[in-house]
Amino acid sequence: MPFKRYVEIGRVALVNYGKEYGKLVVIVDVIDQNRALVDAPDMVRSQMNFKRLSLTDIKIDIKRVPRKKALLEAMEAADVKGKWEKSSWGRKLIVQKRRASLNDFDRFKLMLAKIKRASIVRQELTKLKKNSSA
Amino acid sequence: MAAKTRNPELIRGVRKFSRSAVYHKRGLWAIKKKNGGQFPHHEKASAAAPAPEKAPKFYPADDVKKPLSNTRKLKPTKLRASITPGTVLILLAGRFMGKRVVFLKQLPSGLLLVTGPFKINGVPLRRVNQAFIIATSTKVDISGVNVDKFNDKYFAKKAEKKKKKAEDQFFEAEKQEKVSLPAERKDDQKAVDTPLLKSVESVPDLKYYLGARFSLKDGMKPHELVF
């Protein structure tokens, strides 16, 4: 089982601990065995321990320690945001966030919708069962 | 707002202008000059001579202590920012535990006036304490409802007539204690609920939402739920 996602300049990672939790950052330089210099469009470039990063599949094409403007252009060109939101990991996070922000009334409406969907499925299933047995 | 002083303090205890300089600055000398050497003043209204007090007829045997007067006025409890007229509240305690009700207004005692509406979930016009509710972010349009006539006196218990009962009469009287709801209460309920029902039915599923009770299910963490 070889590794597929490597720590390299331009690797996009998700912060999984700390103040920047949940943000997508780009590894811009490697400081030493444990730390990387990371940067994102809405944060100040700072160091981060690798243990706080979860590597993603997305990689962008940048030189070591690019200017902020160059980084932003590269992120736009590679469409990091779009790729992330289309990926299954990114979609899962979006759904989790949406579910957590549901209002009490929303949760009630969701329950009604689930019941309705289940009843439709069950009706179709009984139809199929009847047809197969007949 | 502190007015700008024309005699600033240079250092603690030392002001810029001397006593005479300040007197001159104030210009009272000009007013005196205008009024012939005297600062104008009006005669003090003489107080009416007090009527001669008669010696009281009765002195109590012991000195009776008079309690100190208390002019403190109590304010109604501070209403949480999340509770506005028309908010759907979840009752957490009492007979209607878990019911979702509509908030109408805060009464002078601090308690909240709520209603089911009665047709939807059986909760009548009722008072409830702010401490025993969860405020949701769902709001109902309450503009058509008039709640001006409701206050704490409306909900006060009727004072019972004190009767001296003999032992055998006690059990007989018990059966007649039950009093039915006065028609006035039912009419008030209807008056408040009809416009409310219209606005509730304009929102899809809201009627069923208000009719259902709230309960914690498996996996629900109250501190993580958004209400």
Side-chain angles (χ1 to χ4, degrees), chain B residues 39-163:
Chain B
F39 195 80
H41 72 289
H42 60 75
E43 285 294 327
K44 192 168 173 190
S46 60
E53 278 186 31
K54 290 199 317 199
K57 267 197 288 190
F58 174 73
Y59 289 97
D62 306 310
D63 277 329
V64 180
K65 277 200 196 299
K66 202 171 78 150
L68 291 171
S69 68
N70 184 6
T71 53
R72 187 171 183 214
K73 285 193 189 48
L74 281 107
K75 288 200 298 206
T77 326
K78 183 153 177 228
L79 202 59
R80 268 183 262 162
S82 54
I83 307 176
T84 62
T87 311
V88 173
L89 311 175
I90 301 177
L91 301 179
L92 294 174
R95 180 156 171 228
F96 300 106
M97 192 158 39
K99 292 265 192 203
R100 294 166 172 126
V101 294
V102 179
F103 168 67
L104 298 174
K105 75 168 187 182
Q106 184 181 33
L107 300 169
S109 66
L111 300 173
L112 313 179
L113 177 68
V114 296
T115 180
F118 185 71
K119 270 229 151 71
I120 297 184
N121 53 19
V123 179
L125 279 162
R126 202 166 201 265
R127 294 184 298 174
V128 74
N129 191 318
Q130 214 187 142
F132 302 107
I133 60 127
I134 294 179
T136 67
S137 48
T138 315
K139 313 262 186 235
V140 177
D141 181 22
I142 210 177
S143 51
V145 183
N146 186 339
V147 278
D148 292 337
K149 71 176 283 203
F150 301 111
N151 57 9
D152 293 293
K153 259 215 307 238
Y154 179 88
F155 292 101
K157 280 206 176 62
K158 302 278 177 293
E160 281 181 31
K161 287 182 287 173
K162 289 213 183 134
K163 289 186 281 193

Side-chain angles (χ1 to χ4, degrees), chain A residues 4 8 11 15 31 37-38 42 45 50 58 62 73 82 89 102 105 109 111 119-121 131-132:
Chain A
K4 289 213 196 68
E8 49 200 330
R11 174 66 61 186
V15 180
I31 299 172
L37 191 61
V38 297
D42 56 345
R45 183 172 293 180
F50 287 119
I58 308 171
I62 49 168
E73 282 170 8
W89 185 359
L102 282 181
F105 188 25
K109 286 189 273 190
M111 174 191 68
S119 81
I120 295 173
V121 167
N131 289 342
S132 74

Side-chain angles (χ1 to χ4, degrees), chain A residues 6-45:
Chain A
Y6 293 96
V7 169
E8 49 200 330
I9 312 286
R11 174 66 61 186
V12 173
L14 186 71
V15 180
N16 59 29
Y17 184 91
K19 197 169 77 108
E20 317 283 342
Y21 180 82
K23 266 212 201 126
L24 277 182
V25 294
V26 179
I27 295 179
V28 138
D29 195 4
V30 172
I31 299 172
D32 63 12
Q33 190 196 320
N34 294 319
R35 291 175 299 156
L37 191 61
V38 297
D39 202 356
D42 56 345
M43 77 181 230
V44 173
R45 183 172 293 180

Side-chain angles (χ1 to χ4, degrees), chain A residues 100-109 111-112, chain B residues 90 100 137-138 204 208-209 212 214 225-227:
Chain A
S101 71
L102 282 181
N103 187 339
D104 189 44
F105 188 25
D106 292 335
R107 266 176 264 132
F108 182 79
K109 286 189 273 190
M111 174 191 68
L112 293 183
Chain B
I90 301 177
R100 294 166 172 126
S137 48
T138 315
Y208 307 110
Y209 174 62
F214 172 82
L225 289 179
V226 167
F227 283 100

